[in-house]
Amino acid sequence: MNVTEAISYIEATHKFGTRLGLDSMRLLLNAMDNPQDKLKFIHIAGTNGKGSTSTMIATVLKTAGYNTGLFTSPFLEAFNERIQLNNEPIDDDSLVAATTFVKERIEVLLEQGEPHPTEFEMVTAVGLQYFYEKQVDFVVLEVGMGGRLDATNIIKDPLAVVIMGISNDHTDYLGNTLAEIAYEKAAIIKEGSDVVVYPQDPEALKVILDFAESKNANTVLVNPDDISILSHTTHNQTLKYLGDHLYLDGFELKLLGDHQSLNCLTALEIIALLIRKGYSINSSQIKKALANVVFPGRFEIFRENPVILIDGAHNSNGIQAFVNNMKQYFPNRTINLFFGMLEDKDIEESLSYLVPIASTIHTLTPKSDRAMPADKMAALISTSYGKSVDFYDNMDDAVNSINLTRTNEVNVFVGSLYMIGEARTLIRKNLLSN
């Protein structure tokens, strides 16, 4: 098996759909001798901010000298991005070896009449096996969907738990109310867990705190007053953190936006927790990590004149944060918008934030069977807002339509990560050499 065959083997299991529950995952990991029981985890759930916060935590730990695994999804440009060691995607040989190992165990289970694992279960198993083989000190483990029945919730005793901001998402699976969704996500909290909770809607917060109390968990509530933005440019922002257990005055964060300062604050509360547990992490290491942390696809600026940027804001909360960033970093500029979103997201609310800031609008179809077709999205925007909207059948044409002589224009690709990754590849290929 080569790497192309390994990835094809994993992705072919997409046909088994989404199946929430831990029974299949438990069988598979038992057959693998339970690599997850030999690792230490920081487990992260929530609707928005998981990826940024996970990456910041992992980067700090790596910079402090710890061998650090990071498991996240989805990927932007290459499958290997989902499983990282010290901020580097899993190498092809290791991916093939871990996939082969998992595949052999699955074949035995199938012979015993057990159901085939889903794609996400397989990717999780491959990641856990790889991290075990590499003997990592920490795994920063991002939940796939929900929490209670997510494949990652097979872990027994996380070193720390993070609950990021919760909003209405995946309602077909997680529930129709914020309280129901919050319960599903809070259920990654185990008996006696140390939990850091991002600022929440009161309805969600009550559910989280009640669940944490039922598990005798130790809870830290993230206080937005503990961080302030001293200054910002289009390259970084300078922050000040005044937590109870850690003090950082005037440090730089490469990720942009008010929401990223809160994500950073959440990451710092986890780092402070680990320091209290006896792990060696100092202020200079934290500052170095945050000044250099990279998370592609989140308000990522490729070019200044004209501005070309992408943002994987894929639900209404993310879109709102993106719009706030645009008003902060590019006030009174002409916005040339390229947009695509999955049909099961809160599209109309997202458009209510997005359309008013755009001068010109183009729609695209993300590469997902859940995508809203570009022509349908264009018609919706045109009907609802009376704006002229065109659509592109392929990303190459969209990227090549950008006029590099219009130096005052801000060209933005925003929406589904399935679209943003494709845009990122072609922007770097077609435009950055000009």
Side-chain angles (χ1 to χ4, degrees):
M1 184 187 297
N2 60 34
V3 69
T4 302
E5 292 167 338
I7 294 171
S8 296
Y9 168 71
I10 294 171
E11 292 182 338
T13 58
H14 181 70
K15 65 187 177 185
F16 295 106
T18 299
R19 182 178 63 238
L20 293 179
L22 299 178
D23 291 345
S24 177
M25 194 67 185
R26 188 171 290 112
L27 285 169
L28 176 54
L29 291 177
N30 281 340
M32 294 167 55
D33 197 26
N34 292 303
Q36 78 284 0
D37 291 345
K38 302 150 193 170
L39 298 167
K40 295 177 180 177
F41 294 94
I42 298 163
H43 202 188
I44 304 183
T47 308
N48 289 95
K50 294 192 302 293
S52 299
T53 305
S54 298
T55 301
M56 283 187 261
I57 294 169
T59 303
V60 170
L61 293 175
K62 180 207 77 169
T63 305
Y66 292 102
N67 197 27
T68 305
L70 173 63
F71 181 84
T72 187
S73 61
F75 64 86
L76 277 185
E77 296 176 276
F79 179 91
N80 303 51
E81 297 167 19
R82 300 180 71 169
I83 302 165
Q84 298 184 28
L85 178 67
N86 298 322
N87 296 128
E88 293 293 332
I90 183 173
D91 63 275
D92 288 348
D93 289 344
S94 294
L95 178 58
V96 169
T99 302
T100 301
F101 180 88
V102 172
K103 180 176 182 287
E104 290 170 352
R105 273 69 187 169
I106 289 173
E107 289 170 350
V108 172
L109 291 173
L110 295 177
E111 289 175 1
Q112 296 170 353
E114 301 296 346
H116 200 294
T118 65
E119 180 181 4
F120 186 73
E121 288 170 339
M122 287 185 61
V123 177
T124 305
V126 168
L128 293 173
Q129 180 62 25
Y130 174 66
F131 296 140
Y132 167 68
E133 290 173 358
K134 293 298 181 180
Q135 292 294 287
V136 298
D137 299 306
F138 300 97
V139 177
V140 184
L141 185 70
E142 185 183 323
V143 166
M145 181 171 66
R148 182 174 65 92
L149 299 176
D150 185 78
T152 64
N153 204 31
I154 198 71
I155 66 173
K156 294 177 181 176
D157 186 23
L159 194 62
V161 169
V162 186
I163 307 295
M164 295 301 296
I166 293 173
S167 59
N168 288 308
D169 202 12
H170 297 299
T171 53
D172 289 350
Y173 294 98
L174 304 180
N176 294 311
T177 69
L178 207 56
E180 290 173 333
I181 295 170
Y183 178 84
E184 293 295 319
K185 294 179 186 292
I188 68 170
I189 298 171
K190 307 298 193 300
E191 185 69 25
S193 290
D194 289 303
V195 186
V196 171
V197 182
Y198 183 93
Q200 302 285 343
D201 179 283
E203 182 183 0
L205 182 60
K206 183 181 186 307
V207 172
I208 295 166
L209 293 180
D210 286 348
F211 192 94
E213 184 178 4
S214 75
K215 294 293 184 179
N216 300 303
N218 306 302
T219 305
V220 173
L221 299 181
V222 172
N223 182 358
D225 292 338
D226 288 342
I227 201 159
S228 56
I229 301 174
L230 303 179
S231 64
H232 64 79
T233 70
T234 54
H235 301 286
N236 58 37
Q237 52 185 330
T238 303
L239 308 177
K240 182 177 182 178
Y241 171 66
L242 298 172
D244 291 338
H245 304 281
L246 189 62
Y247 177 80
L248 295 174
D249 190 7
F251 68 95
E252 292 183 357
L253 177 65
K254 201 166 186 179
L255 306 182
L256 302 179
D258 292 354
H259 66 296
Q260 291 292 13
S261 73
L262 285 179
N263 291 341
C264 179
L265 174 58
T266 307
L268 288 172
E269 294 295 355
I270 284 291
I271 298 303
L273 174 64
L274 295 177
I275 292 171
R276 295 198 298 277
K277 287 176 177 283
Y279 293 98
S280 178
I281 308 166
N282 64 47
S283 296
S284 63
Q285 292 166 338
I286 298 170
K287 287 184 175 183
K288 180 180 178 182
L290 295 176
N292 294 291
V293 68
V294 174
F295 190 41
R298 274 61 171 189
F299 211 74
E300 185 178 13
I301 300 171
F302 295 100
R303 185 176 175 132
E304 297 278 356
N305 293 302
V307 173
I308 301 174
L309 70 85
I310 64 173
D311 194 295
H314 54 277
N315 55 37
S316 62
N317 280 17
I319 293 290
Q320 190 173 16
F322 165 77
V323 169
N324 289 340
N325 269 8
M326 292 299 295
K327 292 176 179 177
Q328 181 178 1
Y329 288 91
F330 303 107
N332 305 315
R333 296 283 291 274
T334 299
I335 309 299
N336 184 33
L337 173 69
F338 298 84
F339 177 64
M341 206 167 185
L342 301 187
E343 204 153 18
D344 56 3
K345 300 292 183 179
D346 40 4
I347 291 175
E348 292 189 6
E349 184 177 353
S350 298
L351 291 175
S352 72
Y353 300 124
L354 196 56
V355 172
I357 70 165
S359 301
T360 49
I361 303 175
H362 321 273
T363 59
L364 292 145
T365 306
K367 288 191 171 180
S368 167
D369 53 11
R370 293 153 50 209
M372 176 175 279
D375 58 344
K376 184 177 177 181
M377 181 72 80
L380 172 63
I381 297 171
S382 181
T383 300
S384 300
Y385 294 91
K387 286 200 171 188
S388 176
V389 183
D390 59 23
F391 63 90
Y392 285 97
D393 291 324
N394 66 77
M395 184 64 72
D396 223 333
D397 289 344
V399 168
N400 290 333
S401 75
I402 293 175
N403 188 336
L404 297 180
T405 67
R406 296 177 182 171
T407 56
N408 193 50
E409 200 160 64
V410 181
N411 302 277
V412 299
F413 289 79
V414 63
S416 169
L417 293 169
Y418 297 99
M419 181 193 83
I420 293 304
E422 187 183 8
R424 188 175 195 270
T425 301
L426 291 173
I427 287 169
R428 294 196 296 164
K429 174 185 175 185
N430 296 356
L431 300 181
L432 295 194
S433 60
N434 296 322

